[in-house]
Amino acid sequence: MQKTIILATKSDHKIKEIQMYIKNHKKYDFRKFQFNTLKDYGFEVEEDGDTILDNSIKKAVETAKYTGMPCLSDDSGLFVQALDGKPGVISARWCGIHGDEKKNNEKLQKEMIMNNFFISPAYFESVMTYYDPNKDCMFSTNGRLNGFVYYFAKYGKDGDGYGYEPHFYMEDPRNDDTVKSLSEYTDEERMTFNYRFKALDKMMKYLKYDKF
Protein backbone atom coordinates (compact mmCIF):
# COMPACT_ATOMS: atom_id res chain seq x y z
CA MET A 1 0.00 0.00 0.00
CA GLN A 2 1.37 3.39 -1.02
CA LYS A 3 1.78 6.19 1.47
CA THR A 4 0.77 9.61 0.10
CA ILE A 5 3.06 12.52 0.96
CA ILE A 6 2.29 16.10 -0.05
CA LEU A 7 5.19 18.19 -1.34
CA ALA A 8 4.44 21.64 0.08
CA THR A 9 5.43 23.59 -3.02
CA LYS A 10 4.11 24.88 -6.32
CA SER A 11 7.62 25.66 -7.59
CA ASP A 12 8.24 23.90 -10.91
CA HIS A 13 11.99 23.94 -10.23
CA LYS A 14 11.70 22.30 -6.79
CA ILE A 15 9.23 19.73 -8.11
CA LYS A 16 11.56 18.94 -11.02
CA GLU A 17 14.55 18.46 -8.71
CA ILE A 18 12.65 16.19 -6.32
CA GLN A 19 11.25 14.14 -9.21
CA MET A 20 14.77 13.85 -10.64
CA TYR A 21 16.05 12.62 -7.28
CA ILE A 22 13.29 10.01 -7.09
CA LYS A 23 13.95 8.84 -10.64
CA ASN A 24 17.72 8.52 -10.35
CA HIS A 25 18.37 7.27 -6.82
CA LYS A 26 18.34 3.48 -6.65
CA LYS A 27 19.10 2.96 -2.96
CA TYR A 28 15.56 3.84 -1.84
CA ASP A 29 12.36 2.08 -2.83
CA PHE A 30 10.04 4.93 -3.78
CA ARG A 31 7.26 2.59 -4.88
CA LYS A 32 5.82 2.75 -1.36
CA PHE A 33 5.29 6.52 -1.70
CA GLN A 34 2.88 8.59 -3.79
CA PHE A 35 4.02 12.22 -4.00
CA ASN A 36 1.47 14.96 -4.70
CA THR A 37 2.14 18.72 -4.71
CA LEU A 38 0.38 21.93 -3.73
CA LYS A 39 -0.53 22.29 -7.40
CA ASP A 40 -3.22 19.74 -6.60
CA TYR A 41 -4.68 22.01 -3.92
CA GLY A 42 -5.82 25.63 -3.80
CA PHE A 43 -3.62 26.40 -0.82
CA GLU A 44 -0.56 28.49 -0.05
CA VAL A 45 1.46 29.27 3.06
CA GLU A 46 2.86 32.73 3.80
CA GLU A 47 6.61 32.51 4.26
CA ASP A 48 7.10 34.99 7.10
CA GLY A 49 9.52 33.11 9.36
CA ASP A 50 12.78 34.54 10.67
CA THR A 51 14.80 31.59 9.34
CA ILE A 52 14.50 29.02 6.57
CA LEU A 53 13.93 26.42 9.30
CA ASP A 54 10.95 28.45 10.57
CA ASN A 55 9.49 28.61 7.06
CA SER A 56 10.12 24.94 6.37
CA ILE A 57 8.34 23.90 9.56
CA LYS A 58 5.45 26.30 8.98
CA LYS A 59 4.88 25.07 5.41
CA ALA A 60 4.96 21.43 6.51
CA VAL A 61 2.62 21.88 9.46
CA GLU A 62 0.06 24.15 7.82
CA THR A 63 -0.08 22.11 4.61
CA ALA A 64 -0.40 18.84 6.52
CA LYS A 65 -3.19 20.21 8.69
CA TYR A 66 -5.01 21.52 5.60
CA THR A 67 -4.76 18.27 3.64
CA GLY A 68 -4.87 15.87 6.57
CA MET A 69 -1.91 13.99 5.07
CA PRO A 70 1.81 13.76 5.77
CA CYS A 71 3.74 16.62 4.23
CA LEU A 72 7.31 17.26 3.09
CA SER A 73 8.39 20.90 2.77
CA ASP A 74 11.52 22.75 1.70
CA ASP A 75 12.80 26.24 2.27
CA SER A 76 16.15 27.39 1.00
CA GLY A 77 18.27 30.47 0.55
CA LEU A 78 21.56 32.03 -0.49
CA PHE A 79 23.78 33.28 2.33
CA VAL A 80 26.55 35.75 1.35
CA GLN A 81 29.31 36.30 3.89
CA ALA A 82 30.13 39.88 2.83
CA LEU A 83 26.44 40.79 3.25
CA ASP A 84 26.20 39.31 6.76
CA GLY A 85 24.24 36.32 5.46
CA LYS A 86 21.84 38.20 3.21
CA PRO A 87 19.60 37.54 1.34
CA GLY A 88 19.12 34.38 3.44
CA VAL A 89 15.51 33.71 4.39
CA ILE A 90 14.21 36.37 1.98
CA SER A 91 16.19 35.10 -1.03
CA ALA A 92 13.10 34.50 -3.18
CA ARG A 93 11.70 37.99 -2.55
CA TRP A 94 14.79 40.12 -1.90
CA CYS A 95 13.87 42.60 -4.61
CA GLY A 96 10.37 43.00 -3.16
CA ILE A 97 8.65 40.70 -5.65
CA HIS A 98 8.48 36.97 -4.85
CA GLY A 99 10.11 34.83 -7.52
CA ASP A 100 11.44 37.62 -9.78
CA GLU A 101 14.81 36.07 -10.54
CA LYS A 102 16.05 38.84 -12.83
CA LYS A 103 15.41 41.59 -10.29
CA ASN A 104 16.76 39.49 -7.41
CA ASN A 105 20.04 39.06 -9.29
CA GLU A 106 20.12 42.78 -10.08
CA LYS A 107 19.64 43.40 -6.36
CA LEU A 108 22.59 41.11 -5.61
CA GLN A 109 24.81 43.02 -8.04
CA LYS A 110 23.68 46.36 -6.62
CA GLU A 111 24.46 45.25 -3.07
CA MET A 112 27.91 44.12 -4.20
CA ILE A 113 28.67 47.54 -5.66
CA MET A 114 27.27 49.40 -2.65
CA ASN A 115 29.38 47.28 -0.30
CA ASN A 116 32.54 47.50 -2.44
CA PHE A 117 33.10 43.87 -3.38
CA PHE A 118 32.80 41.73 -6.48
CA ILE A 119 33.37 38.34 -4.91
CA SER A 120 32.52 36.78 -1.54
CA PRO A 121 32.28 33.35 0.11
CA ALA A 122 28.68 32.16 0.16
CA TYR A 123 26.56 29.06 0.49
CA PHE A 124 23.16 27.71 -0.47
CA GLU A 125 21.22 25.89 2.22
CA SER A 126 18.03 23.86 2.08
CA VAL A 127 15.98 22.76 5.10
CA MET A 128 13.39 20.04 4.62
CA THR A 129 10.69 19.20 7.16
CA TYR A 130 8.42 16.16 7.35
CA TYR A 131 5.22 16.37 9.38
CA ASP A 132 2.51 13.75 9.83
CA PRO A 133 -0.61 15.29 11.43
CA ASN A 134 -2.08 11.86 12.16
CA LYS A 135 0.87 10.83 14.34
CA ASP A 136 2.04 14.32 15.35
CA CYS A 137 5.50 13.39 14.14
CA MET A 138 7.95 15.98 12.78
CA PHE A 139 11.64 16.14 11.92
CA SER A 140 13.89 18.33 9.74
CA THR A 141 17.07 17.83 7.74
CA ASN A 142 19.38 20.24 5.95
CA GLY A 143 21.80 20.33 3.06
CA ARG A 144 24.45 22.95 2.30
CA LEU A 145 26.59 23.80 -0.73
CA ASN A 146 29.64 26.03 -0.22
CA GLY A 147 31.11 28.29 -2.87
CA PHE A 148 31.28 31.98 -3.64
CA VAL A 149 29.24 34.66 -5.40
CA TYR A 150 30.74 36.70 -8.21
CA TYR A 151 29.41 39.90 -9.75
CA PHE A 152 29.48 38.51 -13.28
CA ALA A 153 27.01 35.75 -14.07
CA LYS A 154 27.68 32.70 -16.19
CA TYR A 155 24.86 30.63 -17.64
CA GLY A 156 24.69 27.09 -18.98
CA LYS A 157 24.93 26.14 -22.65
CA ASP A 158 21.21 26.68 -23.15
CA GLY A 159 21.33 30.08 -21.44
CA ASP A 160 19.39 28.65 -18.54
CA GLY A 161 19.85 29.53 -14.90
CA TYR A 162 17.68 29.28 -11.81
CA GLY A 163 17.61 31.93 -9.11
CA TYR A 164 21.06 33.11 -8.05
CA GLU A 165 22.81 30.08 -9.52
CA PRO A 166 24.44 31.98 -12.45
CA HIS A 167 26.26 34.15 -9.85
CA PHE A 168 27.22 31.23 -7.58
CA TYR A 169 30.54 29.54 -8.35
CA MET A 170 32.18 26.42 -6.96
CA GLU A 171 35.04 24.05 -7.65
CA ASP A 172 34.14 21.14 -9.89
CA PRO A 173 34.02 18.09 -7.57
CA ARG A 174 35.64 16.05 -10.33
CA ASN A 175 38.45 18.55 -11.00
CA ASP A 176 39.69 20.97 -8.34
CA ASP A 177 41.38 23.12 -11.02
CA THR A 178 38.01 23.94 -12.63
CA VAL A 179 35.58 26.52 -11.27
CA LYS A 180 32.12 26.88 -12.77
CA SER A 181 28.88 28.60 -11.93
CA LEU A 182 26.15 26.34 -10.61
CA SER A 183 24.16 27.00 -13.81
CA GLU A 184 26.90 25.40 -15.91
CA TYR A 185 26.50 21.95 -14.37
CA THR A 186 24.14 19.44 -15.95
CA ASP A 187 21.25 17.91 -14.03
CA GLU A 188 23.17 14.64 -13.83
CA GLU A 189 26.25 16.35 -12.39
CA ARG A 190 24.21 18.26 -9.83
CA MET A 191 22.80 14.99 -8.48
CA THR A 192 26.11 14.42 -6.66
CA PHE A 193 26.27 17.72 -4.74
CA ASN A 194 23.00 19.66 -4.95
CA TYR A 195 22.11 21.18 -1.56
CA ARG A 196 18.43 20.19 -1.85
CA PHE A 197 19.44 16.63 -2.74
CA LYS A 198 21.65 16.51 0.36
CA ALA A 199 18.71 17.48 2.56
CA LEU A 200 16.40 15.04 0.77
CA ASP A 201 18.93 12.23 1.03
CA LYS A 202 19.07 12.67 4.81
CA MET A 203 15.27 12.78 4.92
CA MET A 204 14.90 9.51 3.03
CA LYS A 205 17.11 7.73 5.56
CA TYR A 206 14.23 8.27 7.98
CA LEU A 207 11.31 7.77 5.60
CA LYS A 208 12.64 4.51 4.11
CA TYR A 209 11.87 2.74 7.38
CA ASP A 210 8.29 3.95 7.17
CA LYS A 211 8.03 4.07 10.96
CA PHE A 212 6.15 7.30 10.93
Side-chain angles (χ1 to χ4, degrees):
M1 180 177 178
Q2 283 189 316
K3 179 173 184 175
T4 299
I5 297 177
I6 309 300
L7 302 177
T9 184
K10 291 182 179 179
S11 166
D12 289 332
H13 182 78
K14 288 184 180 182
I15 293 171
K16 175 186 174 184
E17 286 199 340
I18 293 173
Q19 288 176 336
M20 184 168 62
Y21 176 94
I22 292 171
K23 178 181 178 181
N24 289 281
H25 271 262
K26 308 300 182 186
K27 58 184 177 181
Y28 302 124
D29 183 5
F30 289 100
R31 291 174 296 179
K32 67 173 70 174
F33 301 113
Q34 170 65 46
F35 292 96
N36 295 335
T37 75
L38 279 186
K39 286 191 171 186
D40 302 309
Y41 303 87
F43 180 73
E44 283 195 52
V45 179
E46 182 180 2
E47 299 178 18
D48 56 1
D50 293 329
T51 67
I52 59 175
L53 175 60
D54 291 340
N55 282 338
S56 180
I57 291 173
K58 182 180 180 182
K59 286 190 281 189
V61 172
E62 292 195 7
T63 301
K65 287 183 176 179
Y66 178 83
T67 63
M69 289 184 280
C71 179
L72 181 63
S73 69
D74 161 90
D75 200 47
S76 54
L78 171 68
F79 298 79
V80 180
Q81 180 176 300
L83 296 176
D84 297 322
K86 296 178 182 177
V89 69
I90 61 169
S91 293
R93 58 185 186 282
W94 197 18
C95 67
I97 304 173
H98 195 285
D100 192 323
E101 297 178 7
K102 183 175 184 296
K103 290 187 177 180
N104 278 333
N105 279 309
E106 289 173 352
K107 170 75 171 175
L108 174 62
Q109 291 176 306
K110 182 179 178 180
E111 290 290 330
M112 286 180 163
I113 292 173
M114 290 176 61
N115 288 276
N116 300 310
F117 72 93
F118 284 89
I119 189 170
S120 170
Y123 64 87
F124 277 110
E125 184 168 18
S126 167
V127 174
M128 287 195 162
T129 298
Y130 174 85
Y131 178 65
D132 186 339
N134 304 305
K135 299 179 181 179
D136 197 27
C137 168
M138 179 173 67
F139 52 91
S140 298
T141 58
N142 78 310
R144 182 179 291 194
L145 180 63
N146 294 314
F148 62 91
V149 291
Y150 184 46
Y151 181 87
F152 298 101
K154 198 164 185 181
Y155 294 84
K157 293 180 180 179
D158 56 0
D160 192 19
Y162 172 72
Y164 300 98
E165 292 181 358
H167 287 280
F168 185 87
Y169 291 76
M170 56 174 284
E171 291 182 348
D172 190 329
R174 302 160 304 173
N175 184 353
D176 292 343
D177 295 328
T178 302
V179 175
K180 299 193 295 186
S181 78
L182 196 49
S183 292
E184 293 182 276
Y185 292 93
T186 66
D187 288 342
E188 290 72 21
E189 291 170 337
R190 291 157 64 95
M191 283 289 297
T192 63
F193 57 75
N194 182 290
Y195 53 98
R196 189 168 290 115
F197 290 164
K198 290 179 179 179
L200 186 55
D201 202 55
K202 293 177 183 177
M203 181 65 66
M204 292 310 302
K205 290 178 182 178
Y206 292 99
L207 293 181
K208 73 176 181 178
Y209 295 111
D210 199 22
K211 294 179 180 179
F212 304 98

